[in-house]
Amino acid sequence: MRLVWILAAFVGGLAMALQSRVNGELAVRIGDGTAAALISFGIGLALVGTLSLALPAGRAGVRRMVAALRDGSLRWWYALTGLFGAVVVAAQGLAVPTLGVALFTVGIVAGQTLSGLAVDRMGIGVLGAKRITAQRVLGALVTIAAVIVGAAAGGFVASSVLLVLLPLAAGMLIALQQAFAGQVQHHTRSALTQTTSNFLVGTLALAVVVLVRLASGVELAPLPGEWWLYLGGPLGCAFIAIAAVAVHRIGVLALGLASIAGQVVMALTLDLVAPAAGHPVSALSFVGAALAIAGVAVSTVRRRPRDVA
């Protein structure tokens, strides 16, 4: 079952990288990254909100969440995971058009890997604190090596340093988001309720930011007609729901590393099949993807205890 959840986290990573490309393109079309993030979150909220109201399990999860918040068994700050998600999705719209999916993933991966180690060590997730073993550190170092190679493959230049800090910070928030989401899912016993809560908080936060920007004179281009530009919300739903359940089974670091491998593979595939201008795919890109997967394997494969003679 551990392998099943690692594969599920890998699929979640595929969805996240695809979401980055979709939201980045939407931001270019309408001329504003935060507005693109609001559209993505709004569509996701409409989807999961409808399911929560329609399904008995969704309504029961909402009742359990309200009860847990009232009696204090679920701390209120765990319900704010949507703020972390809003930053991540806004970063996609702001940075992907300039950096490309592969280089954006470099920043996300670096922040997610380092933060995953810290979150597991502090026991912020539902599984309690985990000892930082040499194997886990080695897996994280291999993954960081992968993103360095990916940066070289993506033509990393000094002028991109400051912009890469945005996905780096967003990546650090992802590990916290996964840990907090696990707490909410634990108390509500519903990944659907956790996902709905995430999208509700994120949508409200982004709506405030967009309204302020519009009031300050920012103008938006008309909405594009291509249907695929509005898939960011559903893709985000898939990633968040998988993470909320998988974190119970494999922990924050393993979840992060498996999703990282998915992000790297999808970013490479997108830049190979539908390359963006100025973001070529080279042999180093494939080396980086292979190293990312190797990092996941090193960190998550457990050794069987030897039989004592």
Side-chain angles (χ1 to χ4, degrees), residues 285-296:
S285 302
F286 291 96
V287 174
L291 283 174
I293 296 173
V296 174

Side-chain angles (χ1 to χ4, degrees), residues 116-130:
L117 277 172
V119 168
D120 267 0
R121 182 64 185 90
M122 292 184 291
I124 297 177
V126 296
L127 298 180
K130 288 189 174 183

Side-chain angles (χ1 to χ4, degrees), residues 29-36 39 210 213-214 217-223:
R29 298 290 189 90
I30 65 176
D32 189 79
T34 53
I39 293 172
V210 171
R213 289 179 58 79
L214 291 176
V218 173
E219 296 183 0
L220 302 179
L223 294 177

Side-chain angles (χ1 to χ4, degrees), residues 10-308:
F10 178 84
V11 172
L14 296 177
M16 184 175 181
L18 187 56
Q19 183 194 45
S20 296
R21 170 59 68 88
V22 170
N23 286 342
E25 182 64 24
L26 180 59
V28 170
R29 298 290 189 90
I30 65 176
D32 189 79
T34 53
L38 175 59
I39 293 172
S40 177
F41 257 77
I43 294 174
L45 176 61
L47 176 61
V48 295
T50 300
L51 290 175
S52 290
L53 293 175
L55 298 178
R59 297 193 296 271
V62 171
R63 289 193 294 270
R64 285 191 289 266
M65 184 172 182
V66 172
L69 288 171
R70 284 180 174 176
D71 64 26
S73 57
L74 176 64
R75 301 298 184 183
W76 62 268
W77 54 83
Y78 286 120
L80 299 181
T81 57
L83 296 179
F84 303 150
V87 172
V88 173
V89 176
Q92 292 171 347
L94 294 170
V96 168
T98 300
L99 299 178
V101 178
L103 191 50
F104 177 83
T105 303
V106 168
I108 285 283
V109 164
Q112 193 174 348
T113 302
L114 297 175
S115 184
L117 277 172
V119 168
D120 267 0
R121 182 64 185 90
M122 292 184 291
I124 297 177
V126 296
L127 298 180
K130 288 189 174 183
R131 185 168 57 93
I132 303 299
T133 64
Q135 180 182 351
R136 288 157 66 82
V137 172
L138 178 60
L141 291 176
V142 171
T143 306
I144 292 174
V147 301
I148 293 175
V149 172
F156 184 79
V157 293
S159 60
S160 300
V161 171
L162 292 179
L163 191 56
V164 169
L165 292 179
L166 182 58
L168 177 67
M172 291 182 174
L173 291 178
I174 287 176
L176 280 174
Q177 181 188 32
Q178 291 167 344
F180 281 25
Q183 288 283 358
V184 176
Q185 199 274 339
H186 173 72
H187 284 86
T188 62
R189 300 194 294 277
S190 171
L192 178 59
T193 300
Q194 151 54 27
T195 306
T196 302
S197 170
N198 179 89
F199 274 91
L200 176 61
V201 173
T203 299
L204 292 175
L206 287 168
V208 172
V209 174
V210 171
L211 287 174
V212 170
R213 289 179 58 79
L214 291 176
S216 66
V218 173
E219 296 183 0
L220 302 179
L223 294 177
E226 293 90 336
W227 62 270
W228 58 270
L229 289 173
Y230 304 97
L231 292 179
L235 290 169
C237 291
F239 174 75
I240 294 168
I242 290 172
V245 179
V247 71
H248 293 270
R249 277 75 178 181
I250 58 178
V252 173
L253 179 61
L255 170 63
L257 291 177
S259 65
I260 281 167
Q263 291 172 54
V264 172
V265 169
M266 178 55 77
L268 178 62
T269 302
L270 287 172
D271 284 347
L272 186 64
V273 176
H279 305 292
V281 175
S282 66
L284 283 178
S285 302
F286 291 96
V287 174
L291 283 174
I293 296 173
V296 174
V298 169
S299 180
T300 59
V301 172
R302 292 179 175 177
R303 297 178 180 177
R304 291 185 177 181
R306 295 180 179 179
D307 294 333
V308 179

